[in-house]
Amino acid sequence: MKRNISVKHLSQTPIEKQKVELVERKCIGHPDSLADGVAEAVSRALCKEYMAECDGGVLHHNTDQGEVVAGESAPAFGGGKIIKPIYFLLTGRATRKFGDKVFATDAIAVNAAREYLKTTIPTFDMDRDIIVDCRMGSGSTDLCDVFNTKKGHTTVPRANDTSFGVGHAPFSQVEQIILGLDDYIANEFRPKNPMLGYDIKLMGLREINTITITVAAAMVDRYCSDITDYVEMKEKMEESFTKVAKKYTDRKVKVEINTADIIRKKTTSVFLTVNGTSAEMGDDGSVGRGNRCNGLITPNRPMSMEATSGKNPINHIGKIYNLLSTEIAREACQKVDGIEEMYVRLLSQIGHPIDYPLVASVQCITKRGYDFKEYQSEVEEIVNHRLENITDITRLVIEGKLKTF
């Protein structure tokens, strides 16, 4: 049976030639990212438990409804204190029984959440700063339901919903800057400068050829002795982040740090925290409210509103098709000459095998000097091959090799 793959030319102004572009990322310690990370950690833990007990099979579960309820803190230069712990609510569904096997789903979920938080925000006092509460319901689908197929197709899971996934490539300069800064902060800057916390929002604006990066960064009070330390760290961040940004562009770059700060003789209000996240001082978080699966929030691009994190990686289209769309776009733009931009949309139909979407729609902006028809069939082959091997997405998600936020 032939797949419904539509590869078409798109007449549209490429992103780099548009006058205004916005790109956002909520880094690892933002309340919404914490919610995403916990949800995905719980799903992976359940997958591994199910696989160990069910001959490699994964049972029905979805943990993509988690919430972060902010605590209260009293930060102070040199070290403050947590007044009210952050409350993490784990909800969703998970299969508790299959045949004669019983799974400790709540215990698995709580342990996975706590381990993720301990690793992600090492400043947390896990005994005092965090409450993890599990209220997951029972799943209703067993192993046979998940892997049942329609006649005429290979053994591939059936779509759980009529939904779609969206992806694009290549990334623009602003998108690359935002992701590059996130990587630099996590792997180079923060390890050497522990004053910089984990809750960081990076907002990129390009107006023609001027790029402004606005950074909202929580500082950890125990590593900041006074306001002079704080100001010096902001200056260091501005200098370092500007250098990183310039690696990705020749355009003018301006970096501004914590623009809401008020630093006066009689009044001082700065982004100082006990543990490096605003979740301790009034900011709540929800799964799916932050980054898309490519790690970005991109209002200039088509996006799906689906929460990718926490959804089961077997047949939940909200996860699989968003990840696959992004992977298809990346692969095609790397391998095929002549593509300036590509947008991929995959639409499922509930109950049908996930490797046969109702439509796989690809739109390509062609580079000057190239003919769309020269590479159209090559792109179609890439899409078809990735759909044939769609279960690779499941494996990579369970192994933690594909990011969902």
Side-chain angles (χ1 to χ4, degrees):
M1 180 178 172
K2 185 177 175 61
R3 292 181 172 88
N4 184 20
I5 300 173
S6 171
V7 181
K8 301 296 182 182
H9 175 70
L10 176 63
S11 296
Q12 177 177 294
T13 303
I15 192 73
E16 295 287 10
K17 296 177 182 177
Q18 295 177 24
K19 291 185 178 181
V20 175
E21 179 186 7
L22 308 178
V23 180
E24 178 183 359
R25 174 165 173 78
K26 298 175 179 179
C27 296
I28 198 74
H30 187 284
D32 291 332
S33 295
L34 288 176
D36 284 334
V38 166
E40 189 63 12
V42 171
S43 175
R44 284 202 306 271
L46 289 170
C47 286
K48 291 176 180 179
E49 180 70 11
Y50 291 145
M51 291 172 69
E53 297 295 326
C54 299
D55 298 323
V58 176
L59 303 181
H60 173 72
H61 70 279
N62 288 308
T63 61
D64 57 334
Q65 301 295 322
E67 296 289 334
V68 178
V69 181
E72 296 178 16
S73 64
F77 291 115
K81 60 183 178 181
I82 298 296
I83 298 172
K84 179 181 178 182
I86 305 168
Y87 177 81
F88 288 83
L89 177 62
L90 311 181
T91 63
R93 300 281 166 177
T95 301
R96 301 178 186 276
K97 295 181 180 180
F98 178 66
D100 60 352
K101 298 182 183 297
V102 178
F103 301 95
T105 54
D106 286 18
I108 293 168
V110 170
N111 183 67
R114 291 183 64 81
E115 285 298 313
Y116 177 81
L117 293 169
K118 179 181 178 181
T119 302
T120 304
I121 314 288
T123 50
F124 277 153
D125 181 333
M126 295 302 296
D127 294 327
R128 299 184 59 182
D129 300 346
I130 300 297
I131 295 174
V132 179
D133 184 12
C134 187
R135 290 289 184 267
M136 287 196 302
S138 298
S140 60
T141 308
D142 65 15
L143 193 64
C144 294
D145 288 327
V146 173
F147 288 98
N148 194 14
T149 60
K150 291 181 74 67
K151 185 177 180 181
H153 294 283
T154 55
T155 306
V156 174
R158 295 181 299 140
N160 76 311
D161 192 8
T162 300
S163 187
F164 62 87
V166 180
H168 73 267
F171 287 157
S172 69
Q173 289 182 358
V174 184
E175 290 168 342
Q176 292 178 63
I177 288 170
I178 296 300
L179 290 174
L181 279 174
D182 177 71
D183 182 70
Y184 169 73
I185 290 168
N187 296 305
E188 296 186 48
F189 191 89
R190 186 185 293 113
K192 298 176 183 177
N193 301 278
M195 187 191 304
L196 178 57
Y198 304 87
D199 182 356
I200 302 172
K201 178 186 283 190
L202 303 170
M203 182 67 76
L205 163 65
R206 178 180 57 77
E207 293 182 285
I208 307 177
N209 286 319
T210 298
I211 298 173
T212 302
I213 308 297
T214 305
V215 181
M219 303 292 188
V220 182
D221 61 6
R222 73 195 72 172
Y223 300 113
C224 185
S225 60
D226 52 31
I227 193 63
T228 301
D229 270 0
Y230 183 94
V231 172
E232 288 177 351
M233 178 56 64
K234 285 179 59 173
E235 293 171 349
K236 186 175 184 179
M237 290 165 61
E238 181 179 335
E239 180 182 0
S240 298
F241 293 2
T242 301
K243 288 181 180 178
V244 172
K246 285 185 173 295
K247 293 179 181 179
Y248 299 93
T249 185
D250 292 327
R251 291 174 164 127
K252 181 182 177 181
V253 176
K254 179 171 60 175
V255 176
E256 299 182 353
I257 312 291
N258 290 358
T259 56
D261 286 350
I262 299 173
I263 302 175
R264 301 174 185 148
K265 288 184 178 180
K266 295 184 179 181
T267 304
T268 298
S269 176
V270 296
F271 198 175
L272 194 66
T273 65
V274 176
N275 287 313
T277 174
S278 62
E280 72 181 37
M281 52 192 303
D283 281 358
D284 303 318
S286 298
V287 178
R289 201 169 63 181
N291 312 317
R292 303 302 87 191
C293 69
N294 61 10
L296 300 167
I297 301 169
T298 52
N300 289 67
R301 311 277 203 168
M303 292 191 299
S304 166
M305 294 301 292
E306 288 273 10
T308 305
S309 300
K311 287 179 166 61
N312 86 71
I314 305 301
N315 72 340
H316 206 306
I317 295 306
K319 182 184 221 106
I320 298 168
Y321 275 11
N322 276 302
L323 290 168
L324 183 59
S325 295
T326 301
E327 292 296 301
I328 288 172
R330 285 174 177 168
E331 180 180 349
C333 287
Q334 288 171 358
K335 293 181 177 180
V336 181
D337 292 331
I339 301 174
E340 184 156 356
E341 284 179 18
M342 174 182 284
Y343 297 93
V344 180
R345 298 172 179 85
L346 302 177
L347 172 64
S348 69
Q349 197 169 41
I350 189 168
H352 287 224
I354 61 174
D355 62 335
Y356 278 81
L358 188 59
V359 69
S361 172
V362 179
Q363 295 175 307
C364 302
I365 301 176
T366 304
K367 291 180 180 177
R368 181 175 296 180
Y370 286 85
D371 185 347
F372 167 73
K373 294 180 180 179
E374 293 177 358
Y375 64 78
Q376 181 178 6
S377 61
E378 190 175 355
V379 171
E380 184 174 337
E381 289 177 7
I382 290 172
V383 177
N384 194 59
H385 180 263
R386 292 307 295 256
L387 286 168
E388 285 180 345
N389 296 277
I390 193 169
T391 54
D392 287 348
I393 294 291
T394 298
R395 174 179 54 81
L396 293 171
V397 167
I398 294 173
E399 292 174 356
K401 295 180 179 179
L402 278 183
K403 295 182 179 180
T404 60
F405 66 98

